[in-house]
Amino acid sequence: MSLLFTVTNKVVTPTDQTLLIPPFKQIWERDESKDKMYAIEDFSYIEFMASIQKSNPYSGYSEDQRPEKIIKDIITRAEWEQDDLIHQGIIKLKEFQAEASVTYNYYMAAKSAAEKMQHFFINFSMADVNPRTGALVHKPKDITSALNDTARVLENLNALREKVDNEVFEAVKNKGQKIISPFANPDSLK
């Protein structure tokens, strides 16, 4: 489920709400192409950069890797660069998620910590020694213990992500404090 656009009959269109909110409104208006392809690309980039929902195929990438992957897969303009409106859009979408989910900020902090641990495991050396004592800096027992804890950390991280997904979904679903029936015609909600 996207927060910025919908897909109907294989056609991507922004939601009515998206077009009312700056900077999304300005991104839409600056695209003078007939089919608004560039605005849709920009919205897609924003959505894929900011959304932590399960439906986002790029949410598993680190903050450093994600832009390059999305640009390669989504953006068709050769000289495209993230500008101030795109940056504002990413911040706005993250803000929406944070306000819709009390768990969001905790999840983001836990994800950041897990990525730092991953970076540590990739880059540490068992050969590092304390220059004063000559003892190993990283004891094998400590490393194996940390690796054994990794499965629990990842399970907890996935549980937090699921909780955030549910909280954001409920906030979107409860449009205007009115619960949307699962049997409702989506066109009647506009």
Side-chain angles (χ1 to χ4, degrees):
M1 167 191 251
S2 169
L3 298 174
L4 296 181
F5 48 84
T6 59
V7 179
T8 308
N9 297 327
K10 298 183 183 178
V11 176
V12 177
T13 55
T15 65
D16 295 340
Q17 297 84 351
T18 298
L19 296 180
L20 297 173
I21 302 168
F24 308 116
K25 178 181 178 184
Q26 287 85 351
I27 292 170
W28 186 256
E29 290 172 348
R30 76 179 177 187
D31 183 357
E32 296 176 357
S33 67
K34 182 181 175 188
D35 59 1
K36 297 289 190 180
M37 181 178 106
Y38 301 134
I40 296 296
E41 279 184 5
D42 291 345
F43 289 163
S44 299
Y45 180 83
I46 292 167
E47 180 88 28
F48 291 141
M49 280 298 295
S51 174
I52 61 160
Q53 294 182 311
K54 288 186 288 191
S55 59
N56 179 356
Y58 301 94
S59 65
Y61 289 103
S62 71
E63 295 289 324
D64 297 335
Q65 296 173 317
R66 195 175 310 155
E68 181 183 329
K69 297 281 188 186
I70 297 169
I71 290 168
K72 179 180 173 232
D73 293 348
I74 302 298
I75 304 299
T76 59
R77 292 163 278 179
E79 301 299 319
W80 185 91
E81 287 186 18
Q82 179 179 314
D83 62 15
D84 192 49
L85 284 176
I86 303 293
H87 181 70
Q88 289 174 31
I90 292 168
I91 290 170
K92 180 66 76 175
L93 191 55
K94 286 181 177 182
E95 180 182 300
F96 289 159
Q97 292 176 113
E99 290 172 0
S101 168
V102 295
T103 314
Y104 175 81
N105 289 326
Y106 188 76
Y107 168 76
M108 294 306 290
K111 182 176 183 244
S112 176
E115 287 173 356
K116 288 175 185 169
M117 286 301 296
Q118 177 186 24
H119 182 75
F120 169 78
F121 287 136
I122 290 170
N123 295 306
F124 88 97
S125 170
M126 287 300 292
D128 289 344
V129 293
N130 183 327
R132 283 188 335 187
T133 64
L136 288 175
V137 172
H138 308 290
K139 295 182 176 94
K141 182 179 178 183
D142 294 340
I143 298 300
T144 55
S145 176
L147 287 170
N148 288 333
D149 290 342
T150 300
R152 282 195 311 271
V153 168
L154 293 176
E155 284 175 22
N156 291 336
L157 196 58
N158 286 333
L160 280 173
R161 180 180 176 174
E162 187 75 30
K163 185 169 176 54
V164 171
D165 255 3
N166 291 335
E167 289 171 355
V168 170
F169 175 75
E170 288 301 317
V172 170
K173 189 173 83 170
N174 293 330
K175 246 182 176 174
Q177 302 297 354
K178 180 178 177 184
I179 299 201
I180 300 169
S181 164
F183 304 107
N185 176 356
D187 295 332
S188 72
L189 303 172
K190 293 181 179 175

